Amino acid sequence: MSGLKYYRRMQYVLELIEKERTGSPRELANKLNVTERTVYNILDSVKVMNECKITFSRDQNSYVFIKD
């Protein structure tokens, strides 16, 4: 996968998290047209690059930022 494509996916995931519209890992994988494993890799990269904490909220059925 090209670096630019990966970067764009990371940006899109960040936007979805901010809007709390990611859905489940499987749903997010379908939105990105990737495997669930790739979703977890993207989330790990987002966490490291942005120094933020992200968790999955079952109530909202979306990944959300953890506020300190």
Side-chain angles (χ1 to χ4, degrees), residues 11-37:
Q11 290 299 110
Y12 183 55
V13 168
L14 274 171
E15 287 177 31
L16 290 174
I17 293 171
E18 288 172 358
K19 296 175 183 176
E20 298 179 359
R21 306 276 297 157
T22 63
S24 69
R26 179 172 288 154
E27 291 169 336
L28 183 55
N30 287 335
K31 288 178 186 180
L32 298 173
N33 198 27
V34 297
T35 64
E36 281 187 60
R37 180 70 248 162

Side-chain angles (χ1 to χ4, degrees), residues 2-13:
S2 74
L4 183 59
K5 192 174 195 179
Y6 192 79
Y7 176 77
R8 285 186 178 151
R9 285 183 176 153
M10 285 180 25
Q11 290 299 110
Y12 183 55
V13 168

